[in-house]
C-alpha cells in the first residue's frame, strides 16, 4: 500500500506595522488574500488596530507603542526631521522585547513589514527568515541618497542631537548583530513590494526592480466600510478630504463650502475628521454634506472631483477611480505626490494658503470638463490594472517562502 504524501503545514507569515491608518490600510487586502490562500498569518500591531486586523482573518499579536495614536494631534509628532525619526527609533527599541516575547516559540516562516517597523527586520535577522517590505509610499531610486537624503540630513547630522540619534541607532543594530548603516537599514530593504502605482513613483526608471516590485493599489471591495449614495439630481459630486491626520483645518473647509455651496448642479461631500466641530463651518447650503468620516473609495467611485491632501492612499484611489484631483498637500510626502499628480496631467496642485474659494471653484470647473484630463486618467487607470494588485502581491510573497511550503 503506497505511503500517503504528507500534507504540507500552512506557512506562518508574520506582518508588522505601526498604529497609523496610512501604514496599516494598504496592507490589509494583501493579508486577507494570504489568509484566504490557507496561510496562517499573524499581524503585530498596537491595540487600536486589532479589530481591523482581525477582520482580515489574521491573528493580531498585540504590543504597546509609544508613538502618538492614530487620532493624536499632528503636533505630537513634532515639527523637525529629528522629532519624527527619534520617535520611531525610541518606539522600535522598546517594542523589540515585546515582539520577541509575543513570538517566542512561534517564529514565522516569512516576515512582512511596513517601512517603519524596524523591529521586524531585526527579528527576521534573528530568526533567519526572509523579510519583505510592504511600502505604502515612494521608494528610493538610484541616486536618491545624493539627490534627496544627503541634503535633507546635512544640517541635522552636524548637530549634537543628530549625532546622538545615529549613535543610538547604530548601537541598537550592533547589539542585534546587524552591521548595516542605519540609513541603509531603514531605507534600503532586501526585498520590497511597493503598494502604489508606478505612475506615482518619482524617477521610476531609476528604481532597482530586482529589489522593488510595483504591484499598485491593493484595495479590495471595502464593503465593510459601508456605502454612500449619490444624491438624486446631483450633476457633479466633489469630495473634500484631508485624510485622517491633518484634518484640523476649519478655515480651509469654510473656503470649500464657499466654493461649492450653492453651485448649481453640484453636491459637496466634506469630510472634516473628528477634531473639527461642524458648527465652526457656520450655516451650510443644502447641497453640502458634512461628515466626520466617509467610505472614501465608495464615494470616489461616484465622484467627479476629489479635493485631497495627496497622501499616498488617497492619490492612488483617485487614480484607480479615474477621478480628477485638486491636491492641497499638508505635510511630508504629500507635496511630492501633489507635484507628481500635476505632472501626470490629472490634478492641479494648490498650496493651502492659496486655496481660496475663488481659486478652488475656478480650478474645479476647468478640471472636470477637460477631455485631456479624462483621457490621461483612463490611461493611468488601465496601466494600474496591469500591475496586478492584491493577487500579484500574494503571488510574490508566496514565491519567497521556503520551497516546501509553496
Amino acid at each position: 500500500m503506497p505511503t500517503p504524501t504528507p500534507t504540507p503545514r500552512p506557512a506562518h507569515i508574520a506582518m508588522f506595522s505601526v498604529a497609523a491608518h496610512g501604514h496599516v490600510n494598504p496592507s490589509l487586502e494583501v493579508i486577507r488574500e494570504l489568509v484566504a490562500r490557507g496561510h496562517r498569518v499573524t499581524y503585530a500591531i498596537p491595540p487600536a488596530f486589532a479589530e481591523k486586523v482581525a477582520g482580515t482573518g489574521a491573528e493580531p499579536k498585540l504590543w504597546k507603542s509609544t508613538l502618538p495614536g492614530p487620532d493624536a494631534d499632528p503636533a505630537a509628532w513634532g515639527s523637525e526631521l529629528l522629532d519624527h525619526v527619534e520617535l520611531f527609533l525610541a518606539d522600535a527599541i522598546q517594542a523589540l522585547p515585546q515582539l520577541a516575547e509575543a513570538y517566542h516559540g512561534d517564529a514565522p516562516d516569512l516576515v512582512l513589514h511596513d517601512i517603519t517597523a524596524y523591529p521586524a527586520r531585526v527579528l527576521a535577522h534573528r530568526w533567519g527568515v526572509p523579510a519583505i517590505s510592504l511600502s505604502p509610499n515612494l521608494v528610493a531610486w538610484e541616486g536618491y541618497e545624493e539627490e534627496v537624503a544627503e541634503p535633507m540630513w546635512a544640517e541635522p547630522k552636524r548637530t549634537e542631537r543628530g549625532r546622538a540619534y545615529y549613535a543610538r541607532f547604530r548601537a541598537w543594530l550592533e547589539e542585534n548583530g546587524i552591521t548595516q548603516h542605519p540609513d541603509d537599514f531603514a531605507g534600503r530593504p532586501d526585498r520590497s513590494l511597493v503598494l502604489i502605482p508606478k505612475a506615482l513613483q518619482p524617477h521610476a526608471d531609476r528604481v532597482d526592480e530586482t529589489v522593488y516590485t510595483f504591484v499598485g493599489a491593493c484595495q479590495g471591495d471595502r464593503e465593510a466600510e459601508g456605502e454612500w449614495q449619490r444624491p438624486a439630481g446631483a450633476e457633479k459630486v466633489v469630495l473634500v478630504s484631508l485624510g485622517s491626520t491633518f484634518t484640523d483645518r476649519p478655515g480651509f473647509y469654510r473656503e470649500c463650502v464657499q466654493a461649492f455651496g450653492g453651485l448649481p448642479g453640484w453636491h459637496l461631500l466634506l469630510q472634516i475628521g473628528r477634531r473639527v466641530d461642524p458648527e465652526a463651518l457656520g450655516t451650510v447650503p443644502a447641497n453640502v454634506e458634512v461628515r466626520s468620516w466617509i467610505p472614501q473609495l465608495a464615494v470616489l467611485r461616484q465622484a467627479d472631483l476629489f479635493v485631497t491632501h495627496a497622501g499616498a492612499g488617497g492619490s492612488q484611489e483617485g487614480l484607480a477611480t479615474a477621478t480628477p484631483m485638486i491636491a492641497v498637500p499638508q505635510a511630508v510626502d504629500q507635496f511630492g505626490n501633489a507635484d507628481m499628480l500635476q505632472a501626470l496631467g490629472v490634478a492641479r496642485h494648490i498650496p493651502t494658503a492659496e486655496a481660496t474659494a475663488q481659486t478652488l471653484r475656478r480650478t474645479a470647473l476647468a478640471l472636470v470638463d477637460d477631455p485631456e484630463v479624462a483621457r490621461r486618467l483612463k490611461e493611468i487607470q488601465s496601466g494600474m490594472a496591469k500591475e496586478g494588485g492584491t493577487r500579484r502581491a500574494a503571488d510574490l510573497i508566496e514565491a519567497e517562502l521556503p520551497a516546501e511550503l509553496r
Side-chain angles (χ1 to χ4, degrees):
M1 187 173 177
T3 303
T5 302
T7 303
R9 66 173 174 83
H12 175 193
I13 299 171
M15 173 68 192
F16 296 77
S17 191
V18 295
H21 295 285
H23 291 266
V24 173
N25 290 348
S27 71
L28 293 178
E29 292 307 317
V30 178
I31 300 303
R32 193 188 312 278
E33 176 69 15
L34 291 170
V35 171
R37 293 186 182 197
H39 302 295
R40 177 184 171 227
V41 184
T42 56
Y43 200 126
I45 193 69
F49 282 85
E51 185 176 352
K52 181 175 276 194
V53 163
T56 67
E59 172 194 341
K61 293 261 194 181
L62 301 184
W63 58 280
K64 293 180 180 178
S65 174
T66 57
L67 293 174
D71 296 317
D73 187 323
W77 290 93
S79 58
E80 300 178 9
L81 176 60
L82 283 171
D83 296 335
H84 299 300
V85 297
E86 285 172 344
L87 285 171
F88 279 111
L89 179 58
D91 190 53
I93 291 171
Q94 68 87 36
L96 181 59
Q98 294 184 60
L99 294 166
E101 177 61 26
Y103 280 90
H104 181 69
D106 191 25
D109 301 295
L110 181 145
V111 163
L112 302 176
H113 63 92
D114 178 70
I115 54 175
T116 60
Y118 301 159
R121 292 195 71 186
V122 172
L123 289 171
H125 174 80
R126 185 180 297 178
W127 293 325
V129 301
I132 304 175
S133 161
L134 299 185
S135 178
N137 51 25
L138 65 85
V139 296
W141 55 89
E142 295 307 314
Y144 171 84
E145 284 76 11
E146 296 82 1
E147 296 165 20
V148 178
E150 289 176 9
M152 181 172 66
W153 274 98
E155 180 56 34
K157 283 184 175 180
R158 283 194 286 264
T159 67
E160 184 177 343
R161 182 183 173 191
R163 290 191 292 270
Y165 164 77
Y166 271 97
R168 188 184 188 196
F169 205 152
R170 190 186 291 274
W172 181 63
L173 292 177
E174 289 175 353
E175 286 169 12
N176 288 284
I178 296 173
T179 58
Q180 275 183 298
H181 187 277
D183 290 343
D184 293 332
F185 174 84
R188 288 288 185 176
D190 295 328
R191 184 75 175 95
S192 179
L193 303 183
V194 191
L195 309 182
I196 64 169
K198 197 172 183 179
L200 280 176
Q201 169 66 40
H203 307 294
D205 60 328
R206 287 196 272 150
V207 171
D208 183 354
E209 295 198 27
T210 66
V211 174
Y212 301 100
T213 303
F214 290 87
V215 297
C218 299
Q219 294 171 339
D221 57 30
R222 306 271 186 92
E223 288 181 1
E225 292 186 355
E227 288 297 322
W228 179 81
Q229 186 62 47
R230 184 184 180 112
E235 297 171 17
K236 301 288 185 185
V237 168
V238 53
L239 168 62
V240 175
S241 172
L242 298 181
S244 59
T245 302
F246 300 95
T247 58
D248 191 10
R249 302 291 190 268
F252 171 71
Y253 300 140
R254 286 192 290 268
E255 294 294 331
C256 292
V257 171
Q258 189 177 342
F260 302 106
L263 190 61
W266 283 66
H267 180 82
L268 167 62
L269 177 55
L270 185 59
Q271 177 182 274
I272 62 173
R274 293 178 172 84
R275 289 194 292 275
V276 174
D277 186 342
E279 295 294 322
L281 306 183
T283 303
V284 300
N287 71 325
V288 176
E289 183 180 351
V290 180
R291 299 274 195 94
S292 62
W293 182 88
I294 48 94
Q296 183 164 287
L297 191 58
V299 174
L300 286 175
R301 287 172 176 149
Q302 304 172 67
D304 301 281
L305 177 68
F306 184 20
V307 180
T308 172
H309 65 310
S315 297
Q316 69 178 14
E317 287 178 5
L319 293 176
T321 56
T323 309
M325 287 171 273
I326 295 177
V328 188
Q330 303 297 303
V332 291
D333 64 330
Q334 297 159 19
F335 297 96
N337 291 340
D339 287 338
M340 285 291 292
L341 291 169
Q342 181 163 279
L344 289 170
V346 300
R348 299 293 180 268
H349 176 182
I350 302 178
T352 303
E354 298 173 21
T356 62
Q358 183 179 16
T359 300
L360 289 168
R361 180 184 289 202
R362 182 177 64 248
T363 305
L365 293 174
L367 270 174
V368 298
D369 290 326
D370 189 330
E372 180 59 18
V373 170
R375 186 193 69 78
R376 287 291 296 134
L377 280 164
K378 288 296 183 185
E379 183 176 87
I380 293 168
Q381 184 185 48
S382 175
M384 288 174 65
K386 295 173 184 174
E387 289 177 326
T390 303
R391 289 178 184 243
R392 186 176 181 217
D395 289 345
L396 292 168
I397 290 165
E398 288 182 325
E400 299 291 335
L401 286 168
E404 66 272 15
L405 297 175
R406 294 178 200 166

